[in-house]
Amino acid sequence: MHLPPVGLGTMGIDDPTPIETALSLGYRHLDTARIYGNEAVVGDGLAASDADRDAVTVATKLWVDDLGAEDVAPTARESADLLGVETLDLLYVHRPRGAYDPAETLPALDRLVDDGWVDRVGVSNFEIDEIDRAIDALDAPLAAHQTELHPLFYRPELLEHARAHGYTVVAYSPLAGGRVSEVAPVVEVAKAHDATPEAVAIAWATAKEPVVAIPKASSERHLRANLAAVDLDLTPEETAAIDAVEREAELFPE
C-alpha cells in the first residue's frame, strides 16, 4: 500500500477546518478512529476540500468493543457514513483486545473487502506474534501496522518484520507528545540543520523503510512544517546518534 511519507493524525481534532487546511496543503492521508469520536469532523473537512477523493487515503480503526464478528460490518458501515465515504480506504483493528478474536474478527474484515466496503486492512498496537497470526488469518494482504514510534520509543524488530512481510509501518506520536524538544541528540541535530527538533524527529522516522508518519497538527504553520520535514536529509552519523537514544516507556501503553 502506497502512503505518503507524512499524513495527518487527527486524535483530538474537533473542528473540520484543520482537515480542510491540511488537504489544501497537500496532505493525502487522514487517520482517525472510532474511539476518537471525530469521524464526522474528518468527513466534514474532507467534504469541504477540493482534494480529489480518489487521491486521499482515509483510515479509521475499530475499537476493542467493535471487534466481534457480528459487530465489524455494521460498525465499519457507520464509520463510512460518518466519514462521508463509500469505501474505507484502510480499516484497522485498533488493539488486539476486548472482543478481538483473529479467527472471527479478521474473516469479518475480509468479507468487508470482498463486499467493497473496505479497500485495505491494517492492525494497530500489535506485537510480532500477533501480526503473524493476523497475516495467517487474513485472506487480504496486511496493508499496514500502526504503532507508536519516535526517538524515545523505537523497536527496530517491528520494521524488520514489516520489510520481510511487505506491509507499511505507520508511526503515530512521532513527536513523542512534544518531548522530542527535550532529547539532546535530536536537539543537536536540529541545530546543525537550522531546523526544529520536531522536523528532525519526523525526518528520522520517515527515512526508515517502510515507515510513514502521522503527526497531529491543527495550525497551518505546524501542518506546513510537518509536511516539509521529509525534505530534511540526516547523515548516517546523525541517524545513528538518534537511534542510540536511551529508550523510555511508551506514551500509550496497553
Side-chain angles (χ1 to χ4, degrees), residues 1 4 8 21 31-32 35 45 57-58 71 86 90 93-95 100 111 123 125 137 155 160 187 205 207 213 224:
M1 184 176 193
L8 180 64
T21 300
D31 181 87
T32 184
I35 197 66
T57 296
V58 180
D71 297 321
E86 294 183 0
L90 176 56
V93 174
H94 202 147
R95 287 187 182 272
Y100 177 69
R111 289 191 288 273
V123 296
N125 301 297
R155 295 185 287 173
E160 293 167 6
V187 173
R224 287 184 182 275

Side-chain angles (χ1 to χ4, degrees), residues 32-37 39 60-63 66 75 78-79 82:
T32 184
R34 295 285 297 179
I35 197 66
Y36 300 169
E39 289 172 316
T60 192
K61 311 176 197 74
L62 296 172
W63 187 237
D66 305 322
T75 306
E78 183 179 346
S79 287
L82 289 169

